[in-house]
Amino acid sequence: MNSYAGGQLRWTDGTRTVRTPIVVRPVALAAPAQVSGSYNVTFGFSGAFSATARGLIPAAITAGTVTQDPDQTFDPADPSGTVAVTVEIPAGTTYARFSLFDGDVAAGSDIDLYVYRGTTFAGGSGNGGSDEEVNLLNPVAGTYTVYMHGWGLPTGTSPFKLHTWALGSADAGNMTVTAPASGVIVPLPRSASTQWAGSRVKYLGSVAYGGAAAAVNRRSCASTRKDPLAG
């Protein structure tokens, strides 16, 4: 499990021979990293299986305004064109996410996102536009600093809304997970699904898998990144 193996498939008609190289990596469980609604789980083992909900939790939102950085170069020690927000990540957090959204900024703005724990870089997102996201799996508890960097602001300034989630292990009771009780190696995927009530607040949760030793601690992230009531 989880190791790569190589080989070849040899095709021949007695005169001509073609060799096709093959590399495989068997896994106990194949599931999407991020989901919305129903999704398929492919099992690489036979035996007990469980899927439990963590969350959903609403985002903590910090609103602010950032100005254009004259040299368009991010430096945590240079406050020009940068806004810093302090976030406490509590012990027991299994998944932390920091996000910005295009819908919360001035039209055409490009705001980048950087996350530090003390002076240690934890993650960054510098996409075109302001749809930015940094994810931390099982982050160390402590104080984090999130920087909004005004890389490209056509009007010289822009509002923003920093969305922060610190997901623990508890089931908040607002997401239902339906999954088979055992894993079986079959040609077609088995189905799992998540459902949650509609809300105009952005929520985050995860589905944690258990059962076979190789499946434990794997998870899918269930996110209402888009407003469920809007589609």
Side-chain angles (χ1 to χ4, degrees), residues 15 63 71 87 104 125 137 156-157 183 186 209 211 219 231:
T15 302
D71 63 10
V87 176
D104 297 327
S125 179
L137 179 62
T157 184
V186 292
Y209 308 119
R219 75 198 72 198

Side-chain angles (χ1 to χ4, degrees), residues 103-118:
D104 297 327
V105 304
S109 293
D110 187 344
I111 303 175
D112 295 332
L113 184 67
Y114 299 90
V115 181
Y116 280 73
R117 183 172 65 87

Side-chain angles (χ1 to χ4, degrees), residues 9-212:
L9 179 62
R10 183 172 178 268
W11 308 74
T12 182
D13 62 0
T15 302
R16 293 169 291 268
T17 298
V18 176
R19 294 180 177 85
T20 302
I22 298 175
V23 176
V24 298
R25 179 176 178 263
V27 296
L29 188 70
Q34 184 156 307
V35 299
S36 178
S38 298
Y39 61 98
N40 289 327
V41 173
T42 304
F43 291 95
F45 72 97
S46 296
F49 174 73
S50 65
T52 57
R54 294 176 173 175
L56 300 161
I57 62 170
I61 299 176
T62 304
T65 301
V66 65
T67 58
Q68 174 69 48
D69 184 354
D71 63 10
Q72 294 186 304
T73 302
F74 172 71
D75 181 351
D78 180 4
S80 299
T82 302
V83 174
V85 174
T86 299
V87 176
E88 293 294 333
I89 299 298
T93 297
T94 59
Y95 199 87
R97 172 174 288 180
F98 310 89
S99 295
L100 298 175
F101 298 95
D102 280 332
D104 297 327
V105 304
S109 293
D110 187 344
I111 303 175
D112 295 332
L113 184 67
Y114 299 90
V115 181
Y116 280 73
R117 183 172 65 87
T119 58
T120 301
F121 176 74
S125 179
N127 299 320
S130 298
D131 249 347
E132 310 294 352
E133 182 176 291
V134 173
N135 297 300
L136 304 179
L137 179 62
N138 298 319
V140 176
T143 302
Y144 288 72
T145 304
V146 185
Y147 297 93
M148 274 56 61
H149 178 233
W151 188 86
L153 308 180
T155 61
T157 184
S158 173
F160 67 84
K161 290 182 180 178
L162 171 65
H163 291 66
T164 303
W165 296 265
L167 181 67
S169 300
D171 181 352
N174 54 5
M175 176 173 64
T176 300
V177 179
T178 304
S182 61
V184 180
I185 302 176
V186 292
L188 297 176
R190 301 287 290 277
S191 178
S193 67
T194 60
Q195 291 182 327
W196 51 80
S199 171
R200 294 191 180 278
V201 178
K202 293 179 173 64
Y203 281 75
L204 180 72
S206 69
V207 181
Y209 308 119

